[in-house]
Amino acid sequence: MKIVIIGAVAGGASAAARARRLDEDAEIILIERGPEPSFANCGLPYYVGGEIQARDKLLVAPTSLLRQRHRLDVRTRHEVVAIDRDNASVTIKDLQTGEVSTETYDKLIISTGASPFRPPLRGIDHPDVLELRDLDDADQMHARVATDGSSSAVIVGAGFIGIEVAENLARRGIEVTVVELAEQILPPWDAEMVRPLEQHLRDQGVRLKLQNSAESFRDSKTEEGRLVVTLQTGEEIHSSFAVVCIGVRPESGLAAEAGIDCGPRGGIVTNEHMQTSDPNIYAVGDVAQVKDFVTGDPTQIPLAGPANRQGRIAADHIFGRDSTYRGTQGTAVVGVFGKTAAMTGLSEKMLQRSGRSYQKIYIHPNDHAGYYPGATQMTLKLLFDPENGRIWGAQAVGTHGVDKRIDVIAMAIQAGLTVDDLEEVELCYAPQYGSAKDPINMAGFVAAGALRGDHAVVHWSDLEQSTADMSILLDVRTEQEFARGHLPDAINIPLEVLRSQISELPRDRKLVCYCQVGQRGYMATRILQQRGFDAVNLSGGYRLVSQSG
């Protein structure tokens, strides 16, 4: 068996190592156009920021290891420039000498990844407009902040990479401005979930220019910086350099030129075994179009974990194993100056675009028992099917314990669990790690209660309509909490005296109960419903409304 793999890093290197473990005699050629076959591209921003101090730490599997331990024919600084399916061969160019050669294959794996999207803006090729895809890019950016006296930077795009680059440059003492076309940072998340992170970034000195975009780049003729970035609004920002982080596009040109089917977003169409439309050719990683695990729809989600699994599955299938890829559900996490945002499955905006029916709840639990020192609150949003309680997705933002809870929900989605199951899951508990009623359980209690009709919920986005319908906003917090801030036109009857003052409330108006995070609002709703009132609880409480703007 002769296997040629185009592109290494995550998917390709994983496929090569797995193939060797499955067949000691196979001829395995790994072709990588960069200088290193396997490096931690997710760690690049942290090398730039100095968190990872030694560049060698980024080398997951150096060339020498792949050659000696796995007996692979590794060819770095080589690029496949054509695929000849009729003759089962590839044309390879040595990028150092320019020499061109041909290799045949029995099976071919394409792992060419995705490249940063660089729109055709005026000045986009300016030497001070950078990107961050590989080690060469990281070296260049590292030199800018470590040795050449750069003092400011403009980050174009506030997705995962944009936010990570912004954080790490700011930690280096660079004055950072982030420009984002959307109305929020981290566009995959729902907007209300990332509002606290936006304020947190501002508190760290990062300037945000939301609902804006870069229109051009040119030389600066002032002492304020080497580069001028002109925004859509006409504002000009002088900076030492800019970094374009506005998304990636699958590098599927080779496949398309060879007549292999590609999807509408450019990803190479694959089946559950990672085979393309040519059964002798596989595609893995960011270049592959796969199935969304939750919906079953085709999707394109560039993540390292799925890329590694896909490489392993392709190698398995080549050697006759019936390995299949379940699909990608978009489980992701990002850190922002000590805060964490994580998500899995479908967001509310994705559900709306797809026309799927959904319900949602918000909770604000502590990451561990409140009586144990250091407890911090998180905000957790759970989305589920209102018919059967199937979990669509979840998002959480906080300081500690966020990734743990989203990981649990990610597994619940994989297992086909419902919100009722979340009530019953048994998780680790000691006061420094969690609570006897873990945030996962609490999310299950609230969601399952709403599903069963134990209490109706209304959401912050519905408040304007509720007010227009002449509903009464009932704040059941203490008088002191109410005085510190409350919803416009709300009346205040603390929960502790609600039963004794219940006669003061009209029975011909809907009552929208709320507290700080939702728990006392829920209790008020239960009291009022059992007294014959039309009462609903504001999910997430005043905290969510205030942080959502």
Side-chain angles (χ1 to χ4, degrees), residues 470-516:
M470 303 301 291
S471 299
I472 292 177
L473 296 175
L474 177 60
D475 189 320
V476 298
R477 299 175 298 162
T478 65
E479 293 178 358
Q480 292 80 8
E481 289 175 289
F482 185 80
R484 288 195 292 268
H486 57 268
L487 297 179
D489 301 320
I491 62 173
N492 179 219
I493 302 179
L495 177 65
E496 290 72 17
V497 299
L498 178 60
R499 292 178 180 88
S500 63
Q501 298 183 24
I502 202 166
S503 60
E504 300 174 14
L505 296 170
R507 292 183 174 273
D508 60 345
R509 305 267 294 277
K510 177 182 285 188
L511 301 175
V512 178
C513 304
Y514 75 89
C515 61
Q516 188 65 18

mmCIF file of all heavy atoms in Angstrom, residues 470-516:
data_model
loop_
_atom_site.group_PDB
_atom_site.id
_atom_site.type_symbol
_atom_site.label_atom_id
_atom_site.label_comp_id
_atom_site.label_asym_id
_atom_site.label_seq_id
_atom_site.Cartn_x
_atom_site.Cartn_y
_atom_site.Cartn_z
ATOM 1 N N MET A 470 -49.220 45.480 28.030
ATOM 2 C CA MET A 470 -49.704 45.943 29.329
ATOM 3 C C MET A 470 -49.390 44.971 30.467
ATOM 4 O O MET A 470 -50.068 44.917 31.483
ATOM 5 C CB MET A 470 -51.216 46.217 29.287
ATOM 6 C CG MET A 470 -51.636 47.231 28.238
ATOM 7 S SD MET A 470 -50.838 48.855 28.495
ATOM 8 C CE MET A 470 -51.637 49.388 30.012
ATOM 9 N N SER A 471 -48.348 44.173 30.286
ATOM 10 C CA SER A 471 -47.907 43.329 31.385
ATOM 11 C C SER A 471 -47.284 44.188 32.475
ATOM 12 O O SER A 471 -46.788 45.296 32.224
ATOM 13 C CB SER A 471 -46.876 42.305 30.898
ATOM 14 O OG SER A 471 -47.428 41.458 29.924
ATOM 15 N N ILE A 472 -47.304 43.662 33.686
ATOM 16 C CA ILE A 472 -46.697 44.362 34.814
ATOM 17 C C ILE A 472 -45.362 43.705 35.142
ATOM 18 O O ILE A 472 -45.278 42.482 35.277
ATOM 19 C CB ILE A 472 -47.621 44.318 36.047
ATOM 20 C CG1 ILE A 472 -48.865 45.156 35.799
ATOM 21 C CG2 ILE A 472 -46.893 44.810 37.302
ATOM 22 C CD1 ILE A 472 -49.870 45.117 36.934
ATOM 23 N N LEU A 473 -44.316 44.505 35.255
ATOM 24 C CA LEU A 473 -43.012 44.009 35.648
ATOM 25 C C LEU A 473 -42.936 44.001 37.162
ATOM 26 O O LEU A 473 -43.038 45.056 37.806
ATOM 27 C CB LEU A 473 -41.903 44.884 35.067
ATOM 28 C CG LEU A 473 -41.799 44.917 33.531
ATOM 29 C CD1 LEU A 473 -40.743 45.927 33.091
ATOM 30 C CD2 LEU A 473 -41.466 43.545 32.992
ATOM 31 N N LEU A 474 -42.771 42.813 37.737
ATOM 32 C CA LEU A 474 -42.751 42.666 39.190
ATOM 33 C C LEU A 474 -41.350 42.263 39.639
ATOM 34 O O LEU A 474 -40.894 41.149 39.393
ATOM 35 C CB LEU A 474 -43.768 41.607 39.620
ATOM 36 C CG LEU A 474 -43.822 41.276 41.121
ATOM 37 C CD1 LEU A 474 -44.165 42.522 41.937
ATOM 38 C CD2 LEU A 474 -44.810 40.149 41.385
ATOM 39 N N ASP A 475 -40.668 43.204 40.300
ATOM 40 C CA ASP A 475 -39.326 42.966 40.816
ATOM 41 C C ASP A 475 -39.446 42.392 42.225
ATOM 42 O O ASP A 475 -39.962 43.057 43.131
ATOM 43 C CB ASP A 475 -38.552 44.285 40.834
ATOM 44 C CG ASP A 475 -37.074 44.118 41.138
ATOM 45 O OD1 ASP A 475 -36.745 43.290 42.006
ATOM 46 O OD2 ASP A 475 -36.251 44.820 40.520
ATOM 47 N N VAL A 476 -38.986 41.147 42.421
ATOM 48 C CA VAL A 476 -39.149 40.502 43.726
ATOM 49 C C VAL A 476 -37.849 40.478 44.523
ATOM 50 O O VAL A 476 -37.693 39.702 45.465
ATOM 51 C CB VAL A 476 -39.720 39.074 43.559
ATOM 52 C CG1 VAL A 476 -41.096 39.117 42.926
ATOM 53 C CG2 VAL A 476 -38.781 38.186 42.741
ATOM 54 N N ARG A 477 -36.903 41.330 44.157
ATOM 55 C CA ARG A 477 -35.672 41.450 44.931
ATOM 56 C C ARG A 477 -35.919 42.335 46.159
ATOM 57 O O ARG A 477 -37.001 42.900 46.344
ATOM 58 C CB ARG A 477 -34.561 42.045 44.062
ATOM 59 C CG ARG A 477 -34.199 41.204 42.845
ATOM 60 C CD ARG A 477 -33.179 41.916 41.975
ATOM 61 N NE ARG A 477 -33.721 43.181 41.465
ATOM 62 C CZ ARG A 477 -32.972 44.175 40.978
ATOM 63 N NH1 ARG A 477 -31.651 44.053 40.953
ATOM 64 N NH2 ARG A 477 -33.536 45.276 40.519
ATOM 65 N N THR A 478 -34.902 42.498 46.968
ATOM 66 C CA THR A 478 -35.016 43.360 48.141
ATOM 67 C C THR A 478 -35.105 44.818 47.717
ATOM 68 O O THR A 478 -34.767 45.185 46.582
ATOM 69 C CB THR A 478 -33.805 43.189 49.062
ATOM 70 O OG1 THR A 478 -32.629 43.650 48.367
ATOM 71 C CG2 THR A 478 -33.611 41.724 49.457
ATOM 72 N N GLU A 479 -35.549 45.653 48.647
ATOM 73 C CA GLU A 479 -35.648 47.092 48.360
ATOM 74 C C GLU A 479 -34.274 47.675 48.039
ATOM 75 O O GLU A 479 -34.151 48.566 47.189
ATOM 76 C CB GLU A 479 -36.271 47.818 49.550
ATOM 77 C CG GLU A 479 -37.724 47.452 49.797
ATOM 78 C CD GLU A 479 -38.290 48.168 51.013
ATOM 79 O OE1 GLU A 479 -37.525 48.917 51.676
ATOM 80 O OE2 GLU A 479 -39.489 47.980 51.306
ATOM 81 N N GLN A 480 -33.238 47.165 48.719
ATOM 82 C CA GLN A 480 -31.890 47.682 48.471
ATOM 83 C C GLN A 480 -31.420 47.333 47.047
ATOM 84 O O GLN A 480 -30.828 48.173 46.359
ATOM 85 C CB GLN A 480 -30.911 47.095 49.499
ATOM 86 C CG GLN A 480 -31.128 47.577 50.925
ATOM 87 C CD GLN A 480 -32.278 46.852 51.621
ATOM 88 O OE1 GLN A 480 -32.826 45.880 51.082
ATOM 89 N NE2 GLN A 480 -32.654 47.343 52.801
ATOM 90 N N GLU A 481 -31.678 46.105 46.604
ATOM 91 C CA GLU A 481 -31.311 45.705 45.247
ATOM 92 C C GLU A 481 -32.083 46.535 44.227
ATOM 93 O O GLU A 481 -31.534 46.981 43.216
ATOM 94 C CB GLU A 481 -31.607 44.216 45.034
ATOM 95 C CG GLU A 481 -30.693 43.268 45.769
ATOM 96 C CD GLU A 481 -31.126 41.835 45.594
ATOM 97 O OE1 GLU A 481 -32.167 41.458 46.171
ATOM 98 O OE2 GLU A 481 -30.435 41.085 44.872
ATOM 99 N N PHE A 482 -33.358 46.735 44.492
ATOM 100 C CA PHE A 482 -34.217 47.510 43.584
ATOM 101 C C PHE A 482 -33.689 48.936 43.441
ATOM 102 O O PHE A 482 -33.651 49.491 42.335
ATOM 103 C CB PHE A 482 -35.651 47.516 44.112
ATOM 104 C CG PHE A 482 -36.651 48.185 43.205
ATOM 105 C CD1 PHE A 482 -37.172 47.511 42.102
ATOM 106 C CD2 PHE A 482 -37.077 49.483 43.447
ATOM 107 C CE1 PHE A 482 -38.097 48.119 41.264
ATOM 108 C CE2 PHE A 482 -37.998 50.101 42.616
ATOM 109 C CZ PHE A 482 -38.514 49.413 41.516
ATOM 110 N N ALA A 483 -33.245 49.510 44.559
ATOM 111 C CA ALA A 483 -32.749 50.886 44.541
ATOM 112 C C ALA A 483 -31.463 51.020 43.735
ATOM 113 O O ALA A 483 -31.192 52.076 43.153
ATOM 114 C CB ALA A 483 -32.519 51.374 45.977
ATOM 115 N N ARG A 484 -30.678 49.947 43.659
ATOM 116 C CA ARG A 484 -29.420 50.008 42.913
ATOM 117 C C ARG A 484 -29.616 49.923 41.402
ATOM 118 O O ARG A 484 -28.692 50.176 40.637
ATOM 119 C CB ARG A 484 -28.482 48.888 43.377
ATOM 120 C CG ARG A 484 -27.895 49.110 44.759
ATOM 121 C CD ARG A 484 -26.711 48.193 45.008
ATOM 122 N NE ARG A 484 -27.110 46.809 45.109
ATOM 123 C CZ ARG A 484 -27.410 46.198 46.252
ATOM 124 N NH1 ARG A 484 -27.361 46.878 47.397
ATOM 125 N NH2 ARG A 484 -27.748 44.919 46.272
ATOM 126 N N GLY A 485 -30.799 49.566 40.971
ATOM 127 C CA GLY A 485 -31.082 49.475 39.549
ATOM 128 C C GLY A 485 -32.210 48.501 39.291
ATOM 129 O O GLY A 485 -32.267 47.433 39.912
ATOM 130 N N HIS A 486 -33.116 48.867 38.381
ATOM 131 C CA HIS A 486 -34.247 48.006 38.078
ATOM 132 C C HIS A 486 -34.760 48.307 36.680
ATOM 133 O O HIS A 486 -34.361 49.285 36.036
ATOM 134 C CB HIS A 486 -35.364 48.196 39.105
ATOM 135 C CG HIS A 486 -35.850 49.621 39.204
ATOM 136 N ND1 HIS A 486 -35.317 50.518 40.116
ATOM 137 C CD2 HIS A 486 -36.776 50.321 38.501
ATOM 138 C CE1 HIS A 486 -35.913 51.704 39.975
ATOM 139 N NE2 HIS A 486 -36.803 51.608 38.996
ATOM 140 N N LEU A 487 -35.663 47.463 36.201
ATOM 141 C CA LEU A 487 -36.240 47.668 34.886
ATOM 142 C C LEU A 487 -37.220 48.839 34.921
ATOM 143 O O LEU A 487 -37.901 49.051 35.938
ATOM 144 C CB LEU A 487 -36.967 46.403 34.423
ATOM 145 C CG LEU A 487 -36.090 45.159 34.236
ATOM 146 C CD1 LEU A 487 -36.951 43.979 33.800
ATOM 147 C CD2 LEU A 487 -34.992 45.405 33.223
ATOM 148 N N PRO A 488 -37.295 49.618 33.854
ATOM 149 C CA PRO A 488 -38.214 50.770 33.818
ATOM 150 C C PRO A 488 -39.650 50.340 34.112
ATOM 151 O O PRO A 488 -40.130 49.312 33.619
ATOM 152 C CB PRO A 488 -38.064 51.283 32.385
ATOM 153 C CG PRO A 488 -36.730 50.811 31.936
ATOM 154 C CD PRO A 488 -36.519 49.498 32.610
ATOM 155 N N ASP A 489 -40.337 51.131 34.952
ATOM 156 C CA ASP A 489 -41.756 50.951 35.275
ATOM 157 C C ASP A 489 -42.033 49.700 36.103
ATOM 158 O O ASP A 489 -43.202 49.322 36.282
ATOM 159 C CB ASP A 489 -42.618 50.910 34.005
ATOM 160 C CG ASP A 489 -42.490 52.176 33.161
ATOM 161 O OD1 ASP A 489 -42.437 53.266 33.765
ATOM 162 O OD2 ASP A 489 -42.417 52.066 31.926
ATOM 163 N N ALA A 490 -41.015 49.058 36.628
ATOM 164 C CA ALA A 490 -41.236 47.878 37.458
ATOM 165 C C ALA A 490 -41.735 48.293 38.837
ATOM 166 O O ALA A 490 -41.421 49.378 39.340
ATOM 167 C CB ALA A 490 -39.955 47.076 37.595
ATOM 168 N N ILE A 491 -42.540 47.441 39.457
ATOM 169 C CA ILE A 491 -42.937 47.630 40.849
ATOM 170 C C ILE A 491 -42.164 46.633 41.689
ATOM 171 O O ILE A 491 -41.771 45.562 41.216
ATOM 172 C CB ILE A 491 -44.450 47.462 41.056
ATOM 173 C CG1 ILE A 491 -44.895 46.034 40.692
ATOM 174 C CG2 ILE A 491 -45.224 48.476 40.235
ATOM 175 C CD1 ILE A 491 -46.347 45.758 41.045
ATOM 176 N N ASN A 492 -41.918 46.982 42.929
ATOM 177 C CA ASN A 492 -41.067 46.158 43.782
ATOM 178 C C ASN A 492 -41.869 45.587 44.956
ATOM 179 O O ASN A 492 -42.361 46.329 45.805
ATOM 180 C CB ASN A 492 -39.895 47.002 44.300
ATOM 181 C CG ASN A 492 -38.959 46.238 45.222
ATOM 182 O OD1 ASN A 492 -38.480 46.777 46.209
ATOM 183 N ND2 ASN A 492 -38.680 44.988 44.908
ATOM 184 N N ILE A 493 -42.005 44.270 44.968
ATOM 185 C CA ILE A 493 -42.553 43.561 46.128
ATOM 186 C C ILE A 493 -41.596 42.410 46.408
ATOM 187 O O ILE A 493 -41.582 41.420 45.670
ATOM 188 C CB ILE A 493 -43.974 43.022 45.881
ATOM 189 C CG1 ILE A 493 -44.935 44.154 45.517
ATOM 190 C CG2 ILE A 493 -44.481 42.274 47.121
ATOM 191 C CD1 ILE A 493 -46.358 43.676 45.242
ATOM 192 N N PRO A 494 -40.750 42.531 47.410
ATOM 193 C CA PRO A 494 -39.779 41.464 47.679
ATOM 194 C C PRO A 494 -40.464 40.123 47.888
ATOM 195 O O PRO A 494 -41.580 40.037 48.416
ATOM 196 C CB PRO A 494 -39.082 41.954 48.951
ATOM 197 C CG PRO A 494 -39.224 43.446 48.912
ATOM 198 C CD PRO A 494 -40.569 43.689 48.315
ATOM 199 N N LEU A 495 -39.791 39.066 47.498
ATOM 200 C CA LEU A 495 -40.353 37.718 47.588
ATOM 201 C C LEU A 495 -40.806 37.397 49.007
ATOM 202 O O LEU A 495 -41.841 36.747 49.211
ATOM 203 C CB LEU A 495 -39.295 36.699 47.120
ATOM 204 C CG LEU A 495 -39.694 35.233 47.207
ATOM 205 C CD1 LEU A 495 -40.845 34.924 46.248
ATOM 206 C CD2 LEU A 495 -38.496 34.334 46.892
ATOM 207 N N GLU A 496 -40.041 37.870 49.977
ATOM 208 C CA GLU A 496 -40.327 37.515 51.365
ATOM 209 C C GLU A 496 -41.677 38.048 51.845
ATOM 210 O O GLU A 496 -42.254 37.511 52.798
ATOM 211 C CB GLU A 496 -39.207 38.028 52.282
ATOM 212 C CG GLU A 496 -37.875 37.298 52.127
ATOM 213 C CD GLU A 496 -37.137 37.621 50.830
ATOM 214 O OE1 GLU A 496 -37.471 38.646 50.182
ATOM 215 O OE2 GLU A 496 -36.232 36.853 50.457
ATOM 216 N N VAL A 497 -42.190 39.103 51.200
ATOM 217 C CA VAL A 497 -43.482 39.677 51.622
ATOM 218 C C VAL A 497 -44.544 39.522 50.532
ATOM 219 O O VAL A 497 -45.628 40.079 50.648
ATOM 220 C CB VAL A 497 -43.330 41.172 52.008
ATOM 221 C CG1 VAL A 497 -42.363 41.319 53.182
ATOM 222 C CG2 VAL A 497 -42.843 41.998 50.808
ATOM 223 N N LEU A 498 -44.225 38.774 49.479
ATOM 224 C CA LEU A 498 -45.152 38.663 48.357
ATOM 225 C C LEU A 498 -46.492 38.055 48.784
ATOM 226 O O LEU A 498 -47.565 38.539 48.387
ATOM 227 C CB LEU A 498 -44.526 37.820 47.247
ATOM 228 C CG LEU A 498 -45.394 37.573 46.001
ATOM 229 C CD1 LEU A 498 -45.767 38.883 45.329
ATOM 230 C CD2 LEU A 498 -44.665 36.667 45.014
ATOM 231 N N ARG A 499 -46.467 37.020 49.598
ATOM 232 C CA ARG A 499 -47.715 36.363 49.981
ATOM 233 C C ARG A 499 -48.628 37.307 50.756
ATOM 234 O O ARG A 499 -49.858 37.290 50.563
ATOM 235 C CB ARG A 499 -47.409 35.122 50.817
ATOM 236 C CG ARG A 499 -46.719 33.998 50.045
ATOM 237 C CD ARG A 499 -46.419 32.819 50.963
ATOM 238 N NE ARG A 499 -45.764 31.716 50.252
ATOM 239 C CZ ARG A 499 -44.455 31.603 50.096
ATOM 240 N NH1 ARG A 499 -43.634 32.564 50.567
ATOM 241 N NH2 ARG A 499 -43.936 30.568 49.459
ATOM 242 N N SER A 500 -48.033 38.140 51.608
ATOM 243 C CA SER A 500 -48.853 39.044 52.423
ATOM 244 C C SER A 500 -49.359 40.237 51.625
ATOM 245 O O SER A 500 -50.321 40.891 52.037
ATOM 246 C CB SER A 500 -48.055 39.530 53.641
ATOM 247 O OG SER A 500 -46.919 40.296 53.228
ATOM 248 N N GLN A 501 -48.721 40.555 50.487
ATOM 249 C CA GLN A 501 -49.142 41.703 49.686
ATOM 250 C C GLN A 501 -49.758 41.290 48.348
ATOM 251 O O GLN A 501 -49.929 42.104 47.451
ATOM 252 C CB GLN A 501 -47.939 42.636 49.437
ATOM 253 C CG GLN A 501 -47.360 43.223 50.716
ATOM 254 C CD GLN A 501 -46.222 44.209 50.437
ATOM 255 O OE1 GLN A 501 -46.137 44.790 49.365
ATOM 256 N NE2 GLN A 501 -45.360 44.400 51.431
ATOM 257 N N ILE A 502 -50.104 40.019 48.231
ATOM 258 C CA ILE A 502 -50.575 39.508 46.949
ATOM 259 C C ILE A 502 -51.888 40.162 46.523
ATOM 260 O O ILE A 502 -52.180 40.275 45.332
ATOM 261 C CB ILE A 502 -50.709 37.975 47.019
ATOM 262 C CG1 ILE A 502 -50.657 37.371 45.612
ATOM 263 C CG2 ILE A 502 -51.978 37.550 47.755
ATOM 264 C CD1 ILE A 502 -50.449 35.863 45.608
ATOM 265 N N SER A 503 -52.660 40.647 47.484
ATOM 266 C CA SER A 503 -53.939 41.287 47.149
ATOM 267 C C SER A 503 -53.749 42.614 46.426
ATOM 268 O O SER A 503 -54.698 43.135 45.812
ATOM 269 C CB SER A 503 -54.754 41.502 48.421
ATOM 270 O OG SER A 503 -54.048 42.348 49.326
ATOM 271 N N GLU A 504 -52.553 43.182 46.475
ATOM 272 C CA GLU A 504 -52.278 44.453 45.809
ATOM 273 C C GLU A 504 -52.073 44.285 44.304
ATOM 274 O O GLU A 504 -52.032 45.278 43.567
ATOM 275 C CB GLU A 504 -51.029 45.099 46.412
ATOM 276 C CG GLU A 504 -51.139 45.386 47.908
ATOM 277 C CD GLU A 504 -49.824 45.891 48.487
ATOM 278 O OE1 GLU A 504 -48.939 46.267 47.674
ATOM 279 O OE2 GLU A 504 -49.684 45.906 49.721
ATOM 280 N N LEU A 505 -51.959 43.062 43.846
ATOM 281 C CA LEU A 505 -51.672 42.815 42.426
ATOM 282 C C LEU A 505 -52.945 42.580 41.639
ATOM 283 O O LEU A 505 -53.856 41.869 42.103
ATOM 284 C CB LEU A 505 -50.747 41.594 42.295
ATOM 285 C CG LEU A 505 -49.353 41.751 42.902
ATOM 286 C CD1 LEU A 505 -48.625 40.415 42.918
ATOM 287 C CD2 LEU A 505 -48.543 42.789 42.140
ATOM 288 N N PRO A 506 -53.050 43.146 40.445
ATOM 289 C CA PRO A 506 -54.253 42.953 39.618
ATOM 290 C C PRO A 506 -54.295 41.557 39.011
ATOM 291 O O PRO A 506 -53.270 41.010 38.605
ATOM 292 C CB PRO A 506 -54.091 44.022 38.532
ATOM 293 C CG PRO A 506 -52.618 44.214 38.399
ATOM 294 C CD PRO A 506 -52.068 44.031 39.792
ATOM 295 N N ARG A 507 -55.472 40.988 38.930
ATOM 296 C CA ARG A 507 -55.621 39.654 38.370
ATOM 297 C C ARG A 507 -55.922 39.666 36.873
ATOM 298 O O ARG A 507 -55.989 38.602 36.253
ATOM 299 C CB ARG A 507 -56.727 38.900 39.113
ATOM 300 C CG ARG A 507 -56.348 38.569 40.548
ATOM 301 C CD ARG A 507 -57.423 37.754 41.245
ATOM 302 N NE ARG A 507 -56.990 37.336 42.572
ATOM 303 C CZ ARG A 507 -56.290 36.230 42.819
ATOM 304 N NH1 ARG A 507 -55.968 35.430 41.822
ATOM 305 N NH2 ARG A 507 -55.926 35.909 44.047
ATOM 306 N N ASP A 508 -56.122 40.863 36.309
ATOM 307 C CA ASP A 508 -56.451 40.947 34.881
ATOM 308 C C ASP A 508 -55.242 41.346 34.034
ATOM 309 O O ASP A 508 -55.381 41.675 32.861
ATOM 310 C CB ASP A 508 -57.587 41.947 34.660
ATOM 311 C CG ASP A 508 -57.232 43.363 35.132
ATOM 312 O OD1 ASP A 508 -56.226 43.498 35.877
ATOM 313 O OD2 ASP A 508 -57.934 44.313 34.758
ATOM 314 N N ARG A 509 -54.065 41.325 34.635
ATOM 315 C CA ARG A 509 -52.840 41.678 33.901
ATOM 316 C C ARG A 509 -51.817 40.558 34.082
ATOM 317 O O ARG A 509 -51.732 39.926 35.136
ATOM 318 C CB ARG A 509 -52.241 42.990 34.445
ATOM 319 C CG ARG A 509 -53.210 44.182 34.440
ATOM 320 C CD ARG A 509 -53.090 45.004 33.180
ATOM 321 N NE ARG A 509 -51.810 45.660 33.064
ATOM 322 C CZ ARG A 509 -51.501 46.832 33.648
ATOM 323 N NH1 ARG A 509 -52.387 47.452 34.434
ATOM 324 N NH2 ARG A 509 -50.323 47.385 33.452
ATOM 325 N N LYS A 510 -51.028 40.305 33.027
ATOM 326 C CA LYS A 510 -49.937 39.330 33.152
ATOM 327 C C LYS A 510 -48.834 39.933 34.013
ATOM 328 O O LYS A 510 -48.494 41.117 33.888
ATOM 329 C CB LYS A 510 -49.383 38.958 31.783
ATOM 330 C CG LYS A 510 -48.190 38.006 31.840
ATOM 331 C CD LYS A 510 -47.640 37.686 30.458
ATOM 332 C CE LYS A 510 -48.548 36.722 29.741
ATOM 333 N NZ LYS A 510 -47.934 36.246 28.475
ATOM 334 N N LEU A 511 -48.253 39.121 34.878
ATOM 335 C CA LEU A 511 -47.171 39.561 35.750
ATOM 336 C C LEU A 511 -45.862 38.935 35.278
ATOM 337 O O LEU A 511 -45.743 37.701 35.215
ATOM 338 C CB LEU A 511 -47.442 39.142 37.194
ATOM 339 C CG LEU A 511 -48.741 39.678 37.812
ATOM 340 C CD1 LEU A 511 -48.951 39.091 39.197
ATOM 341 C CD2 LEU A 511 -48.721 41.199 37.872
ATOM 342 N N VAL A 512 -44.906 39.771 34.931
ATOM 343 C CA VAL A 512 -43.569 39.307 34.551
ATOM 344 C C VAL A 512 -42.674 39.457 35.778
ATOM 345 O O VAL A 512 -42.283 40.566 36.148
ATOM 346 C CB VAL A 512 -43.006 40.108 33.363
ATOM 347 C CG1 VAL A 512 -41.591 39.639 33.035
ATOM 348 C CG2 VAL A 512 -43.906 39.966 32.141
ATOM 349 N N CYS A 513 -42.389 38.338 36.428
ATOM 350 C CA CYS A 513 -41.595 38.365 37.653
ATOM 351 C C CYS A 513 -40.102 38.296 37.312
ATOM 352 O O CYS A 513 -39.701 37.583 36.392
ATOM 353 C CB CYS A 513 -41.953 37.178 38.536
ATOM 354 S SG CYS A 513 -43.706 37.064 38.938
ATOM 355 N N TYR A 514 -39.315 39.026 38.084
ATOM 356 C CA TYR A 514 -37.877 38.906 37.885
ATOM 357 C C TYR A 514 -37.145 39.192 39.184
ATOM 358 O O TYR A 514 -37.643 39.888 40.080
ATOM 359 C CB TYR A 514 -37.379 39.820 36.768
ATOM 360 C CG TYR A 514 -37.278 41.298 37.104
ATOM 361 C CD1 TYR A 514 -36.103 41.836 37.648
ATOM 362 C CD2 TYR A 514 -38.344 42.166 36.858
ATOM 363 C CE1 TYR A 514 -36.001 43.190 37.944
ATOM 364 C CE2 TYR A 514 -38.247 43.515 37.140
ATOM 365 C CZ TYR A 514 -37.082 44.025 37.694
ATOM 366 O OH TYR A 514 -36.974 45.362 37.995
ATOM 367 N N CYS A 515 -35.952 38.608 39.263
ATOM 368 C CA CYS A 515 -35.051 38.884 40.380
ATOM 369 C C CYS A 515 -33.672 39.156 39.797
ATOM 370 O O CYS A 515 -33.572 39.634 38.660
ATOM 371 C CB CYS A 515 -35.042 37.716 41.362
ATOM 372 S SG CYS A 515 -34.466 36.166 40.610
ATOM 373 N N GLN A 516 -32.606 38.835 40.502
ATOM 374 C CA GLN A 516 -31.281 39.128 39.987
ATOM 375 C C GLN A 516 -30.844 38.116 38.933
ATOM 376 O O GLN A 516 -30.337 38.497 37.875
ATOM 377 C CB GLN A 516 -30.256 39.162 41.129
ATOM 378 C CG GLN A 516 -28.882 39.652 40.726
ATOM 379 C CD GLN A 516 -28.857 41.112 40.284
ATOM 380 O OE1 GLN A 516 -29.794 41.880 40.571
ATOM 381 N NE2 GLN A 516 -27.818 41.513 39.576
#
